[in-house]
Each structure stands twice: as C-alpha cells, then as structure tokens.
C-alpha cells in the first residue's frame, strides 16, 4: 500500500506542491484540493512540473473545488483524475497513510 | 450640517484565490463598507487574486457561500476602478474572457454603461499603486 499526499495550497502561493512532488515516493498518489486545484490546471506556469511528475505518481483533483473557483474540469491537465468527496474518502481508505502538505 | 471631508486614494490589493482562505470575502466586505465614506477607491487583483473575478463560480459542491456575484454590484457603490494585472492572468493561462465583465453607470454621461475592469501591465499597475495614499492588503 502506498501513501496519499494531499495538497491544499496554490503552487503560486506556497511551495507545498513543489516539495510534495520532490519528496513523494514513486507509486504514491497526490490529491489536489481547495486552492491546490490551481496546480491541476493546464497552461499555467506550474503545469509542466505536474505533467512531468505524472510518470512517478498518480494525480487526483477535487471537482467541487474546481467549480467553486470558476475553473473548468475540461482544463485539467491530461491524466489527472477529477473526483468528488466520495472519491476523496475512497482514496484515504485505499492508502496506508495520508500526508497533508500545508 | 454638511462637512467637506478629506478624500484620499485608497487601494485594496487582492492577491489570494477565493474560498481557500477568508481573505477574498473579507476584502470585499471591507470595500463595501469603505464605499460609504466617499473616498477615491481602487481595487487591484494580482497573483492568485485574479481567480476572485472568474465567471461561473459554483460553490454548491463545497458548501460555501458564492460571493462572486457581489463584484458586479461594485459599480452601484461608485467603485469604477478595478485593475487586474495582465501578467498574473497570463501565468495562469487565463484571459479576460474567463473574468466577469464589470460595469458601472456613468451619471455624467446619461447613465451610459461603461467598463470598470481594466487589465493593466506590471509597469502601469506599479504606477497606480505608487499614486495611492493608503494601500490595504488582502
């Protein structure tokens, strides 16, 4: 069982996502939620870093937080799975631990 | 008794995305209160603050109040200088089309509807901020 990393801060605001991607072990999962969903969007200054990490970790993003910010599910980086709160719960049960990157 | 007060240039600087923190909502509330004091008000949206003005915000899924519609009421409070930093939009893959169209009615021009949102470059924004008497950060 692998670890689940959850990131709730914008990559423009904090280096939480960068640190998470630097230290997350291969095969673990990263969930972007709250302001963290900004890191899941295409065509931003940070999109390439996320796309490049995709070969090592699997990415998820919380859909309701995308909608709240007026962003579009269709603009999520290819390969990131959009999930809802039920999916969030499933992820926490499917992984051995949850690490929150504040 | 009418007293002629001092009018200062107040700038509200918004640099955070909405909903993740309380800053965006608090700023909006302070702006609406301040509008009652007939001061020269400018709003600036830079960095993640530009996300505050996106259209089609839908907060049903996160159980929080959607306050984005309030921005379109700012014109009625005589707030007609809303600046968005161009570079902040570009870094985020956003364009003016992703933002709400904010307008005010010009009483000196037969209440014609005019734009109150201006996308400005870094240099121009720097000048605007430098001209202010008071800058409040959110």
């Amino acid at each position: 069982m692998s670890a689940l990393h959850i990131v709730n801060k914008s990559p423009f605001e904090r280096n939480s996502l960068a640190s998470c991607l630097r230290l997350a072990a291969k095969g673990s999962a990263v969930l972007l939620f709250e302001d963290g969903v900004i890191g899941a969007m295409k065509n931003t200054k940070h999109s390439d870093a996320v796309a490049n990490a995709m070969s090592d970790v699997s990415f998820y993003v919380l859909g309701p937080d995308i909608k709240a910010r007026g962003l579009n599910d269709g603009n999520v980086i290819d390969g990131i799975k959009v999930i809802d709160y039920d999916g969030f719960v499933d992820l926490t049960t499917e992984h051995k631990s949850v690490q929150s990157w504040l | 008794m009418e007293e002629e007060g001092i009018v200062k240039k107040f700038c509200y600087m918004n640099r955070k995305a909405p909903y993740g923190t309380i800053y965006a909502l608090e700023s909006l509330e302070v702006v609406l209160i301040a509008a009652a004091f007939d001061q020269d008000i400018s709003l600036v949206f830079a960095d993640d603050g530009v996300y505050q003005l996106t259209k089609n915000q839908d907060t049903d899924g996160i159980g929080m109040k959607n306050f984005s519609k309030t921005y379109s009421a700012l014109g009625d409070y005589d707030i007609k200088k809303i600046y968005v930093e161009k570079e902040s939009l570009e870094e985020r893959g956003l364009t003016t089309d992703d933002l709400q169209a904010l307008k005010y009615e010009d009483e000196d021009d037969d209440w014609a509807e005019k734009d109150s949102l201006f996308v400005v470059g870094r240099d121009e924004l720097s000048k605007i901020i430098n001209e202010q008497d008071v800058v409040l950060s959110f």
Side-chain angles (χ1 to χ4, degrees):
Chain A
M1 262 182 141
S2 61
L4 172 67
H5 299 270
I6 63 175
V7 178
N8 72 339
K9 296 290 185 279
S10 161
F12 288 95
E13 178 93 25
R14 307 265 185 102
N15 58 8
S16 317
L17 178 59
S19 296
C20 168
L21 297 184
R22 190 178 77 236
L23 296 167
K26 204 171 176 161
S28 52
V30 175
L31 168 65
L32 304 169
F33 70 117
E34 294 178 6
D35 287 346
V37 301
I38 291 164
M41 307 311 293
K42 276 182 187 163
N43 303 320
T44 81
K45 215 172 69 178
H46 301 279
S47 306
D48 286 347
V50 172
N52 290 337
M54 205 105 58
S55 49
D56 290 334
V57 297
S58 43
F59 281 96
Y60 301 85
V61 62
L62 197 62
D65 280 324
I66 294 177
K67 284 200 176 68
R69 286 156 185 78
L71 304 173
N72 188 339
D73 285 5
N75 282 332
V76 166
I77 296 166
D78 296 331
I80 300 184
K81 224 180 267 168
V82 181
I83 59 166
D84 58 13
Y85 280 100
D86 288 345
F88 192 164
V89 174
D90 289 342
L91 280 178
T92 60
T93 60
E94 289 162 3
H95 291 82
K96 71 172 166 66
S97 62
V98 179
Q99 180 173 352
S100 188
W101 295 81
L102 300 177
Chain B
M1 188 180 76
E2 184 90 359
E3 202 176 319
E4 198 63 35
I6 299 166
V7 175
K8 287 191 178 181
K9 291 174 81 72
F10 281 78
C11 173
Y12 294 84
M13 184 86 194
N14 301 284
R15 295 183 43 256
K16 287 180 165 57
Y19 308 115
T21 60
I22 200 70
Y23 288 95
L25 176 58
E26 289 290 320
S27 171
L28 189 54
E29 298 209 337
V30 171
V31 165
L32 292 174
I33 293 163
F37 292 91
D38 292 326
Q39 298 293 305
D40 181 349
I41 293 179
S42 298
L43 268 53
V44 172
F45 294 86
D47 299 328
D48 280 350
V50 300
Y51 290 116
Q52 293 179 29
L53 298 180
T54 54
K55 48 184 174 193
N56 305 323
Q57 290 181 25
D58 174 2
T59 58
D60 286 351
I62 62 167
M64 291 176 76
K65 186 182 157 191
N66 179 354
F67 54 85
S68 67
K69 290 184 177 76
T70 313
Y71 294 104
S72 58
L74 290 172
D76 299 331
Y77 289 84
D78 224 23
I79 293 169
K80 44 200 177 194
K81 290 185 285 191
I82 299 167
Y83 302 105
V84 178
E85 194 197 43
K86 183 169 166 275
E87 289 82 351
S88 295
L89 288 175
E90 287 168 357
E91 283 175 349
R92 288 161 182 78
L94 299 174
T95 67
T96 317
D97 287 342
D98 296 307
L99 305 181
Q100 302 187 42
L102 299 178
K103 313 262 186 195
Y104 75 101
E105 291 175 342
D106 189 351
E107 59 178 317
D108 299 325
D109 190 9
D110 198 23
W111 305 101
E113 218 175 48
K114 297 184 178 176
D115 288 326
S116 54
L117 187 152
F118 306 95
V119 176
V120 295
R122 208 147 269 180
D123 293 341
E124 195 182 344
L125 185 58
S126 167
K127 242 180 257 168
I128 290 164
I129 295 168
N130 193 47
E131 289 164 358
Q132 303 296 321
D133 296 309
V134 182
V135 178
L136 295 143
S137 292
F138 290 90

